[in-house]
Each structure stands twice: as structure tokens, then as C-alpha cells.
């Protein structure tokens, strides 16, 4: 795996004309942020050696380089999920490549189901911690450099970046929530009982991504800032039917606010 990581990083490095230190992963329905990136050049996933290919509607499947907030960045428009049939090593392959390319800060975004009764559809939840319910751990197997065998996860989401996001939100009059993200395998949406269980365990939102990516990023020493857009609600007295199309629609509506906060964090950090 490490050889493939090196091969992919080398292929990209030969074609890159910028030197980004920051990367962004755009989740379901969140690809519009890519239109805010200027001076772009991009690579479809299928052209990149050893890269998986996204198969989910709402995930464009390309690596974008350019500027956001006046800084060089790279962005994944579309991510890979365990439920697509990929191994955890494949799901988190891009984060390994990011590290080799010099990325030291990672912004992750996702669409998530809210189970905190204070939440409403369209809320922006800054992730302050997560619970890992995936059946396979992304660090299982031979330890991959440069990380330690037993990485510490007490600060999976960077406290300074969270504080900066709160400051920006207050300055701009943007309402944000904070909470714990529960990462699950999917691809089914949760039953009402599952929503209630995850809530009892301390979760505020649940989704099918992010956690493996964050674990591997932190294993590499990359700082992480995470945001969930609450696209549906569950676990309450009145069950609500959920569809992928509705999730995409709610995510699209909340994108401008998420983009504004991320752009400003990048500009100031």
C-alpha cells in the first residue's frame, strides 16, 4: 500500500503547479463549494493512478487544485465509502496521498442525520468529537508510516480551528451547532430505534463517512476541522422518511453558509 501511495503522490506532484497545505473533502450534495475555488486545475479520479472512483450520486469524482481564501488548496469533490465495497485502506487512500503532498490541515464535510432535539434541518454542526461504529478500523493491519502504532485520539478535531470557526460565525451572525458525529457503515438510513440508541450513547448526528478519514489524517499528524450539515432528523416521536434526493437538497441549501465559514478559516489560518 505504501508503494502505491508514493506512486500516486509522485504522479500528482509532477503535474501540480501549486503547493497546498490545506485540503477539503466535499461530501454528499456539497460539491458547490468547488465553484468558489479560483485558478483551478483538476484531475478526474479515474485518471489518477491507484485512486478509487466514487460511485455515489452527488459525488463528482475529481481532485481540484486552486485557491480559496487566498490560499492554495486541494479539494476532493466526492469521497469513497465503505458501503460502496471499498476496503478501509481504499477509503482512506486519499488522506495518505494528501500527507505525502504536504497537506497539514484537512477540512471534512458531510451530510448527516440529526438526532439532537435542538437541531433542525439545514443546521450546520461543527464536529467536536466522533464515535466509530464502522465494522473495520482503517488502521487495522501493518502500521503505515509516518504514524505511530497506537495514535492518540483525544483531539481528533482541532480545538483551535473550532474556536476560530465559532469566532467567525459570531462575527458574521451565522448560527452553528456543536456535536458528536457517529460514523456507521450504511448504506441504509437509520431506523428510529437506531437513532435513539446513538443519541443515548452521546451522538448528535449520524452519517456514513468522515470517521475513517479523520482517523487516518490524525494518524499522519494532519489537523482536522469537521462540519456536518443536518439534512434530516430521526429518533423523535414522529418518524420521518428519508431519501437520498432530500438529503442532497438540504445539503445544497446550506452550502453557502458552510462555504463562508471554511473560506474565512482558511484565509485566517
Amino acid at each position: 500500500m505504501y508503494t502505491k501511495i508514493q506512486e500516486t503522490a509522485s504522479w500528482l506532484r509532477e503535474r501540480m503547479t501549486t503547493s497546498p497545505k490545506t485540503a477539503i473533502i466535499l461530501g454528499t450534495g456539497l460539491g458547490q463549494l468547488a465553484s468558489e475555488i479560483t485558478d483551478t486545475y483538476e484531475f478526474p479520479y479515474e485518471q489518477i493512478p491507484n485512486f478509487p472512483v466514487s460511485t455515489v450520486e452527488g459525488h463528482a469524482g475529481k481532485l481540484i487544485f486552486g485557491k480559496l481564501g487566498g490560499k492554495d488548496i486541494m479539494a476532493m469533490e466526492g469521497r469513497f465509502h465503505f458501503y460502496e465495497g471499498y476496503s478501509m485502506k481504499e477509503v482512506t487512500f486519499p488522506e495518505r496521498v494528501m500527507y505525502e503532498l504536504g497537506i497539514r490541515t484537512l477540512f471534512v464535510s458531510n451530510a448527516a442525520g440529526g438526532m439532537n432535539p435542538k437541531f433542525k434541518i439545514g443546521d450546520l454542526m461543527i464536529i467536536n468529537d466522533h464515535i466509530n461504529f464502522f465494522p473495520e478500523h482503517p488502521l487495522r493491519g501493518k502500521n503505515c508510516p509516518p504514524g505511530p502504532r497506537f495514535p492518540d485520539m483525544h483531539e481528533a478535531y482541532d480545538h483551535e480551528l473550532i474556536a476560530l470557526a465559532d469566532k467567525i460565525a459570531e462575527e458574521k451572525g451565522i448560527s452553528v451547532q456543536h456535536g458528536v458525529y457517529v460514523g456507521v457503515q450504511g448504506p441504509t438510513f437509520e431506523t428510529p430505534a437506531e437513532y435513539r440508541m446513538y443519541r443515548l450513547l452521546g451522538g448528535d448526528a449520524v452519517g456514513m463517512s468522515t470517521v475513517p478519514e479523520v482517523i487516518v489524517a490524525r494518524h499522519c499528524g494532519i489537523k482536522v476541522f469537521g462540519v456536518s450539515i443536518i439534512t434530516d432528523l430521526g429518533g423523535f416521536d414522529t418518524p420521518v422518511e428519508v431519501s437520498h434526493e432530500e438529503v442532497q437538497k438540504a445539503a445544497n441549501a446550506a452550502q453557502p453558509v458552510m462555504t463562508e465559514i471554511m473560506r474565512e478559516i482558511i484565509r485566517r489560518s
Side-chain angles (χ1 to χ4, degrees):
M1 178 61 77
Y2 190 61
T3 300
K4 288 185 177 181
I5 292 166
Q6 294 290 320
E7 287 174 355
T8 304
S10 177
W11 187 91
L12 286 166
R13 199 179 293 114
E14 288 173 0
R15 291 160 176 79
M16 289 167 58
T17 57
T18 51
S19 301
K21 301 295 182 186
T22 301
I24 304 172
I25 299 175
L26 301 173
T28 299
L30 299 174
Q32 285 183 13
L33 186 148
S35 65
E36 301 287 330
I37 303 170
T38 61
D39 305 308
T40 60
Y41 58 99
E42 57 190 46
F43 305 101
Y45 291 162
E46 59 265 24
Q47 292 182 5
I48 304 172
N50 306 314
F51 232 68
V53 177
S54 182
T55 65
V56 182
E57 185 180 347
H59 290 250
K62 56 186 177 182
L63 206 56
I64 303 170
F65 293 83
K67 289 187 179 294
L68 186 68
K71 303 282 184 68
D72 287 346
I73 64 127
M74 66 181 291
M76 286 182 65
E77 191 174 2
R79 55 153 55 93
F80 314 115
H81 304 80
F82 191 62
Y83 66 72
E84 293 177 79
Y86 293 119
S87 70
M88 278 298 182
K89 293 288 189 291
E90 291 172 315
V91 168
T92 59
F93 185 80
E95 287 68 47
R96 298 289 184 192
V97 173
M98 287 175 186
Y99 176 80
E100 295 298 325
L101 293 176
I103 297 300
R104 295 299 178 264
T105 304
L106 175 65
F107 289 73
V108 291
S109 66
N110 60 59
M115 48 212 175
N116 186 320
K118 296 179 181 178
F119 290 0
K120 63 183 184 299
I121 290 176
D123 275 353
L124 208 65
M125 186 191 87
I126 295 173
I127 305 173
N128 53 33
D129 206 347
H130 70 229
I131 298 173
N132 183 11
F133 261 95
F134 283 91
E136 180 184 324
H137 198 282
L139 302 184
R140 178 178 178 269
K142 185 178 179 181
N143 189 44
C144 185
R149 173 74 280 188
F150 303 105
D152 178 75
M153 292 295 292
H154 84 279
E155 191 178 338
Y157 302 85
D158 190 79
H159 294 172
E160 290 185 1
L161 292 175
I162 291 172
L164 179 55
D166 286 338
K167 181 181 179 182
I168 292 166
E170 183 178 3
E171 289 174 0
K172 295 182 176 292
I174 297 172
S175 176
V176 294
Q177 305 282 4
H178 293 76
V180 175
Y181 178 86
V182 180
V184 298
Q185 173 177 309
T188 52
F189 291 110
E190 290 66 41
T191 67
E194 287 169 339
Y195 271 120
R196 291 192 293 272
M197 177 188 72
Y198 295 139
R199 178 62 183 158
L200 285 171
L201 291 174
D204 296 286
V206 60
M208 306 169 195
S209 66
T210 300
V211 170
E213 299 158 341
V214 172
I215 289 173
V216 168
R218 294 301 301 130
H219 182 248
C220 292
I222 297 172
K223 294 190 299 183
V224 176
F225 176 79
V227 171
S228 293
I229 292 179
I230 305 303
T231 53
D232 58 279
L233 300 170
F236 307 131
D237 293 337
T238 304
V240 179
E241 186 175 342
V242 185
S243 73
H244 186 66
E245 291 72 25
E246 288 171 338
V247 166
Q248 287 182 286
K249 184 178 178 180
N252 278 328
Q255 283 193 83
V257 178
M258 182 192 76
T259 300
E260 190 168 2
I261 290 178
M262 283 194 175
R263 185 199 300 114
E264 193 63 16
I265 294 174
I266 292 169
R267 188 182 73 81
R268 298 189 193 184
S269 59

